[in-house]
Amino acid sequence: MTIAPACPLPLMQHETVQMAHGAGGRLSQTLMQRVFMPHLHNSFLDLLDDQAKLELPAGRTAFTTDTYVVSPVFFPGGNIGELAVNGTVNDLAVGGAIPLYLSTGFVLEEGFSLVALETIVMSMASAAQNAGVIIVTGDTKVVGKGQCDSIFINTSGIGTIREGVNLSCCNLKKGDCIILSGTVGDHGMAIMTSREGLSFQSHITSDCAALNGMIGKVLDAVPMIHAMRDPTRGGVAATLNELAHSSSVGIEINETSIPVKPDVRGACELLGIDPLHVANEGKLVLVVPADCSETVLNVMRAHEHGRDAVIIGSVVNDHPGMVVMRTVFGSRRIVDLPLGEQLPRIC
Amino acid sequence: MTIAPACPLPLMQHETVQMAHGAGGRLSQTLMQRVFMPHLHNSFLDLLDDQAKLELPAGRTAFTTDTYVVSPVFFPGGNIGELAVNGTVNDLAVGGAIPLYLSTGFVLEEGFSLVALETIVMSMASAAQNAGVIIVTGDTKVVGKGQCDSIFINTSGIGTIREGVNLSCCNLKKGDCIILSGTVGDHGMAIMTSREGLSFQSHITSDCAALNGMIGKVLDAVPMIHAMRDPTRGGVAATLNELAHSSSVGIEINETSIPVKPDVRGACELLGIDPLHVANEGKLVLVVPADCSETVLNVMRAHEHGRDAVIIGSVVNDHPGMVVMRTVFGSRRIVDLPLGEQLPRIC
């Protein structure tokens, strides 16, 4: 059924999500016609079937899912819509896949502004276009006022894994270089500083970005990279711990080599938060055989999302499963997983 | 990283979801070890990568998504977990696909019982096993108390479309038979009667079921079926309207041939709800060339989910895009899409 209309009624500022928008009846169709289809329509979604029918290229397929519950929904540097597209694109790309198709599942709170929803949908459309992926199937549920917080978005993604690429957290070898693509903590601290009641004199913006372009160039140049991760929840600390644990190796990093923007560092110090524990949404951790590290750095630094790429440490035989940091004072400390919840709902 | 432990701590009745369970740190790992992995672990999930790496059979691929926000979470005949698996399995199967892999994205409310969560996860594991699908990747977010209602679950699914099968809402031809697999309204009214404050003297239970087994047998026997849909939100009325609209044909149905359980009919009459507008979660609408209808009925009636299968109407050339019902009184009335929201959060 094609319901992308020739000329849907323009949205009025006061219009909001109603329970009936999620009931599968006439108002559900209206929501599709007025908010979703004008921005997302394509040959897959236009059919409005319960499933998209895809022709996948030959090869292994990567499949991933993430639900985004970020609060606030609009934050400095982005909104939940582009976060939902970029986050899932990145989860495919760090597995060595070329991201191809996304699904999207909305949970909307009754009373949420339709104009705000349209802004989010437009951001999703634009982020999908930038990342070269197509949103091929979707679902919308509405819950009563107070039964969810504004809007949650799930995106799942499918991609084709590049031939000759084998990225895995279990691949780390002694001597490998740990490369970080840029400054840490930008996304988490942008969310934090934009939350009600917290107003730093800062210009911290989220680093939310799709990394598949840069990752593609890196893998074209050096297909034998051992592992990649985007350090989101739990930050670089959680990512490095997972890598060390999965490969039963030790990781040593140098505090002085980890790039942190001054505003982010200041906000972290004020709040007593370790920047290594703060989420990023446009950064990459790579584990690379030492003799390839220069090539990888050169490719990354030539890309807008990797300009500040730097080697932050290496894989060692000592303390397997553990991450140790040489601090600015020359001492060594264990970099552990964050235990509790410092920054809820950052993605 | 394999974190399915030899012997996780047993859950205590009073334990609840904490914000830190969603933070990506140590408590996130604990939640995986104690609640998810004991029931869901498999060779894909055990890797705990950000994406699953799949070998898909050659052919077209179906991809679908649905978020489940049913309230209450436990209802007569099922819970949100098995609903989330069966619903997405059915969305693949009605497209002619063999369902293979699911993803699952949880949004949990702080304070939700861990024992209840484990029951839901166990139902998902069991439903996945029954339907022959594997849950290969997942994500868990936690939001604060009052920021969602207990638990929402997104499942997305991938399947391979059977060769020689071409099901589409645009395929309806004059003379086709409309077949319904059984009684209507069971799921929606089971939810309704179990809601707080509404207590009928009834034994209505949800029809929640995976239909891929029956659909497989039907397509083996009659691959040239024109269209299939599971009449969920908006009920049989919405499904028939979508089919009529997509194919620009009319549909005529007979009220006397539509099976409705006495308890469901009674509850619908009491609440002033048309059973044709009520959601089902284990029923199937098929559009079949007339000369194949007996074969299809025989195959369906031999299956536990199709015992009451019946022809309820046919495709006509008159009133394109419209569904007309011959009522029990012999008059004719238009069966329209439900306009508003009668039964919110039934799936």
Side-chain angles (χ1 to χ4, degrees):
Chain A
M1 166 165 52
T2 305
I3 60 168
C7 183
L9 275 179
L11 293 177
M12 311 289 275
Q13 275 299 330
H14 67 273
E15 285 189 276
T16 58
V17 172
Q18 310 295 316
M19 288 304 288
H21 280 133
R26 199 163 294 284
L27 274 173
S28 295
Q29 285 193 356
T30 306
L31 189 72
M32 290 296 290
Q33 286 167 343
R34 297 182 64 206
V35 180
F36 292 114
M37 295 309 276
H39 308 293
L40 297 180
H41 79 98
N42 56 50
S43 61
F44 300 96
L45 274 183
D46 288 354
L47 294 175
L48 289 182
D49 268 325
D50 281 335
Q51 71 297 119
K53 297 184 173 84
L54 313 171
E55 299 282 351
L56 291 183
R60 284 178 303 162
T61 299
F63 183 30
T64 189
T65 195
D66 244 325
T67 307
Y68 298 85
V69 298
V70 64
S71 169
V73 164
F74 295 91
F75 49 81
N79 66 47
I80 190 172
E82 67 183 278
L83 184 64
V85 170
N86 290 339
T88 294
V89 162
N90 291 346
D91 278 346
L92 290 171
V94 296
I98 300 166
L100 297 173
Y101 301 111
L102 297 192
S103 67
T104 175
F106 293 90
V107 179
L108 306 176
E109 184 184 13
E110 181 187 21
F112 187 64
S113 156
L114 283 189
V115 173
L117 177 60
E118 187 182 40
T119 306
I120 290 165
V121 169
M122 287 165 69
S123 294
M124 293 183 80
S126 151
Q129 193 173 18
N130 287 341
V133 295
I134 308 176
I135 296 172
V136 292
T137 190
D139 172 60
T140 303
K141 293 293 181 337
V142 178
V143 299
K145 210 162 172 60
Q147 294 171 350
C148 91
D149 191 6
S150 302
I151 176 172
F152 301 153
I153 304 178
N154 175 283
T155 50
S156 300
I158 292 180
T160 298
I161 300 171
R162 287 161 183 270
E163 277 200 53
V165 166
N166 181 27
L167 300 170
S168 165
C169 295
C170 308
N171 282 350
L172 277 64
K173 300 272 179 302
K174 190 200 164 199
D176 284 354
C177 286
I178 312 285
I179 294 178
L180 178 64
S181 66
T183 55
V184 299
D186 300 18
H187 176 72
M189 294 320 290
I191 298 296
M192 198 63 169
T193 56
S194 68
R195 289 239 173 105
E196 198 182 7
L198 280 170
S199 143
F200 299 98
Q201 278 293 352
S202 82
H203 305 283
I204 304 173
T205 56
S206 168
D207 54 352
C208 179
L211 299 173
N212 56 326
M214 181 175 70
I215 291 174
K217 287 192 191 305
V218 169
L219 288 174
D220 283 346
V222 185
M224 72 291 287
I225 285 182
H226 285 166
M228 276 190 204
R229 274 279 173 120
D230 54 333
T232 55
R233 273 186 294 179
V236 169
T239 296
L240 294 179
N241 269 280
E242 283 166 24
L243 290 169
H245 184 95
S246 295
S247 294
S248 297
V249 295
I251 290 179
E252 277 199 10
I253 57 173
N254 296 305
E255 188 169 16
T256 47
S257 56
I258 294 164
V260 189
K261 288 192 177 127
D263 279 359
V264 171
R265 187 182 299 282
C268 281
E269 280 176 6
L270 198 63
L271 294 162
I273 292 174
D274 184 341
L276 287 176
H277 284 169
V278 181
N280 314 276
E281 288 292 343
K283 292 300 169 354
L284 192 62
V285 171
L286 302 95
V287 186
V288 181
D291 55 356
C292 308
S293 59
E294 273 311 307
T295 313
V296 171
L297 280 176
N298 288 338
V299 174
M300 292 179 73
R301 286 175 182 159
H303 196 280
E304 60 171 329
H305 298 315
R307 273 194 213 110
D308 301 322
V310 63
I311 296 174
I312 61 165
S314 61
V315 177
V316 296
N317 266 346
D318 297 339
H319 49 77
M322 204 176 276
V323 181
V324 170
M325 180 163 76
R326 190 166 297 274
T327 70
V328 286
F329 307 109
S331 62
R332 298 168 85 229
R333 75 164 172 92
I334 293 170
V335 177
D336 208 354
L337 282 175
L339 176 64
E341 174 59 290
Q342 294 167 316
L343 295 171
R345 297 183 58 190
I346 42 78
C347 62
Chain B
M1 168 163 52
T2 305
I3 61 166
C7 182
L9 273 180
L11 293 176
M12 311 290 275
Q13 276 300 331
H14 67 273
E15 286 189 274
T16 58
V17 172
Q18 309 296 316
M19 290 303 289
H21 281 133
R26 199 163 293 284
L27 274 172
S28 294
Q29 284 194 356
T30 306
L31 188 72
M32 291 295 291
Q33 286 167 345
R34 296 183 64 206
V35 180
F36 292 114
M37 294 309 274
H39 308 291
L40 297 180
H41 79 98
N42 57 50
S43 61
F44 301 96
L45 274 184
D46 288 355
L47 293 174
L48 291 182
D49 267 325
D50 280 336
Q51 71 299 116
K53 298 185 172 83
L54 312 171
E55 297 282 352
L56 291 183
R60 283 178 304 162
T61 298
F63 183 30
T64 190
T65 194
D66 244 326
T67 308
Y68 299 85
V69 298
V70 64
S71 169
V73 165
F74 295 91
F75 49 81
N79 67 48
I80 191 172
E82 68 181 276
L83 184 65
V85 170
N86 290 338
T88 294
V89 162
N90 291 346
D91 278 347
L92 291 170
V94 297
I98 299 166
L100 297 173
Y101 301 111
L102 298 191
S103 66
T104 177
F106 293 90
V107 179
L108 306 176
E109 184 184 14
E110 181 187 21
F112 187 63
S113 156
L114 283 190
V115 173
L117 177 60
E118 187 182 40
T119 305
I120 290 165
V121 170
M122 287 166 69
S123 295
M124 294 184 79
S126 150
Q129 193 172 19
N130 287 341
V133 296
I134 308 175
I135 297 171
V136 292
T137 189
D139 172 60
T140 303
K141 293 292 182 338
V142 178
V143 298
K145 209 161 173 60
Q147 294 172 348
C148 91
D149 191 6
S150 302
I151 175 171
F152 301 153
I153 304 178
N154 176 283
T155 50
S156 301
I158 293 180
T160 299
I161 299 171
R162 287 162 183 271
E163 278 201 52
V165 166
N166 181 26
L167 300 170
S168 165
C169 294
C170 308
N171 281 349
L172 277 65
K173 302 273 177 304
K174 190 202 165 199
D176 284 352
C177 287
I178 312 284
I179 294 178
L180 179 63
S181 67
T183 55
V184 299
D186 300 17
H187 176 72
M189 294 320 290
I191 299 295
M192 199 61 169
T193 57
S194 70
R195 290 239 173 105
E196 198 182 5
L198 279 170
S199 143
F200 299 99
Q201 277 294 350
S202 83
H203 305 284
I204 304 173
T205 56
S206 167
D207 55 352
C208 178
L211 299 172
N212 56 325
M214 181 174 72
I215 291 174
K217 287 191 190 306
V218 169
L219 288 174
D220 283 346
V222 184
M224 72 289 289
I225 287 183
H226 285 164
M228 278 190 204
R229 273 280 174 121
D230 54 333
T232 55
R233 273 187 294 181
V236 170
T239 296
L240 294 179
N241 269 281
E242 283 166 24
L243 290 169
H245 183 95
S246 295
S247 292
S248 297
V249 295
I251 290 180
E252 278 199 8
I253 57 173
N254 295 305
E255 188 168 15
T256 48
S257 56
I258 294 164
V260 189
K261 289 195 177 123
D263 279 0
V264 172
R265 187 183 298 284
C268 281
E269 280 176 5
L270 197 63
L271 293 163
I273 293 175
D274 185 341
L276 288 176
H277 284 168
V278 181
N280 315 275
E281 288 293 343
K283 293 300 170 353
L284 193 62
V285 171
L286 302 95
V287 187
V288 181
D291 55 356
C292 308
S293 59
E294 274 309 307
T295 314
V296 170
L297 280 176
N298 288 337
V299 173
M300 291 178 74
R301 287 174 181 160
H303 195 281
E304 61 171 328
H305 298 315
R307 274 195 211 108
D308 301 323
V310 64
I311 296 174
I312 61 165
S314 61
V315 177
V316 297
N317 266 346
D318 298 340
H319 49 79
M322 204 176 277
V323 182
V324 170
M325 180 163 76
R326 191 166 295 275
T327 69
V328 287
F329 309 109
S331 62
R332 297 167 87 229
R333 74 164 173 90
I334 292 171
V335 178
D336 208 353
L337 281 176
L339 176 63
E341 174 60 289
Q342 295 167 317
L343 296 170
R345 297 184 57 191
I346 41 78
C347 61

